[in-house]
Amino acid sequence: MVVFKPFSPYMPIHPEDVAADPYDIVSVEEARAIIARQPNSFLKVDKPEALQENLSLEDWGQLARQELERLYEKELTERPNGFYVYRLTRKGRQQTGLVATFSVADYEAGRIKIHEHTREVKERERVEHVRATRAHTGPILLSHPPHESLKQILSNATEEEPLFSFTDDRGVVHEGFMIPSRDLARVMMIGATIPSIYIADGHHRAKAAAVVSGMGGDPSQKNERTHFLGVLFPSDELTILPYHRVMTAIAPEEVENMLEGLSFSYVIDEENGLVLPKEHGVFGVAYRGKYYKLTKRQEDPSLDVAILQRDILTPYFNVEDVRTDARIDFVGGNKTIVELEKLTLEPDRLLFTCHETLMTQLMHVADEGGQMPPKSTWFEPKLKSGLFIHRFD
């Protein structure tokens, strides 16, 4: 069973002025520009380095806390205890999720399943953020196999007047609702029938919540501190886009050596433009104005990003760990072809485009206790931070 716990969220009075993209997909420069336009942007809380550079980790956390306190005073209001609904609509496609708090005990016991390792540096930062703010400010994206009873409860809730509704600059409609109190017990009972759920995005935030829950604090708040904020969506409503790789400081002879070596195990076709793979086992390559399509000759059940790592990045470019290699970066699948092609304008850049990972693959890896390579999935649309805040101080 998985615990679905109701909570009393703090929510903004003017959500369109506060809501922000997740901290990890916004650069410092982008955050500063957004904050200049939106003085109440939640990026002030989630990305305080945009306000002041060269802070110690402790001072960085305290600045996040100060900005959150400012929002508590002027913009955030506490809502009744209960379950909530977060619905996103993009290009006519909707995903409707249960907003609740979830148990650290379930996470540690493996009932909330993971599919990737956390990075120590990023983990320390998130731990300090949760510890300093004494709140979970960015919802963890969770998923479960479709459950008709839960889906019906969420659907019924969305027939009521929304608590908020706005359209972001990408054309995504964000809406929030409260589930009627009469359904509270039913939602908790449904959790008791679900053996496990999956972290789709937010492994560092989940790990940080678990670490902070064991640090102690006000005993009266222990029950809140040992639960973290999440939005739970059925797996068939989530959209995964591919995650591409771009390398720098690549010499022409390295690319030539790669293409020659891969010709035994891949069909290599030179193309007139950038290749965005439409099927498993296919990769696009772009370098110095030339474009290639690589198609694996033999069927391979591995994830495409794992194949890329094993067949190409490690043997031809000595990339042992994509999390630490300075030559490699990641590009979300929300980028257009024009934006992707711009990445290769520098003569030493090499771009690999991939096919997206499927939710069934993600869940299978998690069920087997395996680990996917970092940056294997790009979920779109992104959940906004600052719309639901779980405060435990």
Side-chain angles (χ1 to χ4, degrees):
M1 61 170 287
V2 179
V3 174
F4 296 168
K5 180 179 173 296
F7 73 119
S8 300
Y10 281 77
M11 297 174 64
I13 300 170
H14 305 96
E16 65 278 7
D17 296 332
V18 174
D21 282 336
Y23 70 93
D24 54 353
I25 68 166
V26 182
S27 69
V28 173
E29 293 74 18
E30 289 170 335
R32 287 179 183 145
I34 293 169
I35 290 169
R37 300 192 305 269
Q38 296 176 236
N40 286 330
S41 171
F42 207 75
L43 285 170
K44 286 186 171 181
V45 177
D46 266 358
K47 208 171 185 73
E49 62 269 34
L51 302 175
Q52 188 174 341
E53 296 182 20
N54 302 318
L55 293 169
S56 68
L57 185 59
E58 184 175 353
D59 289 341
W60 176 88
Q62 286 305 308
L63 182 54
R65 173 69 186 187
Q66 291 170 18
E67 290 299 326
L68 183 55
E69 290 284 1
R70 184 182 64 82
L71 286 177
Y72 283 145
E73 292 176 4
K74 63 181 294 186
E75 180 62 40
L76 299 174
T77 183
E78 186 176 11
R79 296 284 186 168
N81 185 68
F83 291 116
Y84 290 77
V85 177
Y86 185 3
R87 183 169 71 184
L88 301 94
T89 305
R90 173 180 177 267
K91 297 181 178 179
R93 180 181 174 90
Q94 288 187 335
Q95 59 185 68
T96 306
L98 170 71
V99 185
T101 58
F102 298 84
S103 171
V104 166
D106 283 343
Y107 169 79
E108 293 178 334
R111 290 184 289 273
I112 298 177
K113 297 187 176 185
I114 64 174
H115 65 264
E116 69 176 48
H117 290 300
T118 55
R119 297 166 57 185
E120 185 177 349
V121 172
K122 193 174 177 182
E123 183 183 311
R124 285 201 304 268
E125 178 186 279
R126 285 302 104 190
V127 167
E128 178 59 25
H129 196 275
V130 176
R131 187 201 66 80
T133 60
R134 298 188 288 281
H136 302 119
T137 60
I140 294 165
L141 178 62
L142 301 164
S143 186
H144 66 96
H147 191 291
E148 287 306 315
S149 295
L150 181 57
K151 182 176 288 190
Q152 188 60 55
I153 291 172
L154 301 185
S155 177
N156 292 342
T158 62
E159 294 176 1
E160 303 297 326
E161 188 73 18
L163 301 173
F164 63 79
S165 179
F166 66 94
T167 304
D168 68 18
D169 56 5
R170 298 185 183 91
V172 178
V173 180
H174 300 261
E175 297 171 288
F177 306 84
M178 185 175 183
I179 293 177
S181 58
R182 63 178 180 271
D183 289 328
L184 190 146
R186 289 180 62 203
V187 173
M188 290 190 287
M189 289 175 63
I190 287 171
T193 69
I194 296 177
S196 59
I197 60 177
Y198 302 82
I199 295 179
D201 194 17
H203 286 78
H204 289 90
R205 280 165 281 171
K207 180 67 174 180
V211 171
V212 172
S213 74
M215 287 183 170
D218 185 347
S220 68
Q221 295 298 319
K222 182 179 179 181
N223 196 35
E224 293 302 322
R225 197 172 59 249
T226 56
H227 291 78
F228 55 82
L229 175 66
V231 187
L232 179 66
F233 294 94
S235 58
D236 59 349
E237 292 186 8
L238 292 177
T239 299
I240 301 180
L241 301 181
Y243 230 133
H244 310 304
R245 275 75 170 128
V246 61
M247 299 193 67
T248 56
I250 303 300
E253 53 269 25
E254 290 182 280
V255 178
E256 292 171 6
N257 180 56
M258 174 195 73
L259 293 173
E260 181 179 351
L262 290 175
S263 63
F264 296 97
S265 53
Y266 285 81
V267 175
I268 301 176
D269 297 304
E270 188 165 354
E271 305 287 337
N272 294 324
L274 184 67
V275 174
L276 294 179
K278 302 298 183 185
E279 56 187 322
H280 172 68
V282 177
F283 302 94
V285 177
Y287 181 75
R288 292 194 172 187
K290 290 190 175 182
Y291 305 96
Y292 303 91
K293 178 181 178 182
L294 310 183
T295 305
K296 197 163 179 61
R297 293 182 185 274
Q298 293 186 340
E299 181 65 26
D300 189 327
S302 304
L303 299 176
D304 285 77
V305 288
I307 295 173
L308 177 66
Q309 175 75 34
R310 185 195 65 219
D311 288 2
I312 301 175
L313 299 183
T314 298
Y316 293 102
F317 302 99
N318 298 314
V319 176
E320 298 294 339
D321 189 344
V322 295
R323 296 174 298 178
T324 58
D325 196 299
R327 292 198 300 173
I328 195 163
D329 202 356
F330 307 94
V331 187
N334 62 330
K335 300 295 185 184
T336 66
I337 289 181
V338 172
E339 290 173 313
L340 289 171
E341 287 178 335
K342 284 182 179 178
L343 294 174
T344 63
L345 293 179
E346 296 294 329
D348 68 340
R349 284 184 182 170
L350 172 63
L351 174 67
F352 294 99
T353 54
C354 306
H355 186 257
E356 67 269 15
T357 301
L358 305 177
M359 271 302 300
T360 52
Q361 293 176 307
L362 182 155
M363 295 164 72
H364 175 72
V365 169
D367 287 338
E368 296 296 315
Q371 300 292 325
M372 291 166 57
K375 307 298 184 183
S376 296
T377 54
W378 178 279
F379 288 90
E380 190 73 21
K382 297 293 183 184
L383 306 184
K384 295 288 189 181
S385 295
L387 294 176
F388 301 92
I389 298 159
H390 177 225
R391 184 176 184 177
F392 57 84
D393 64 352

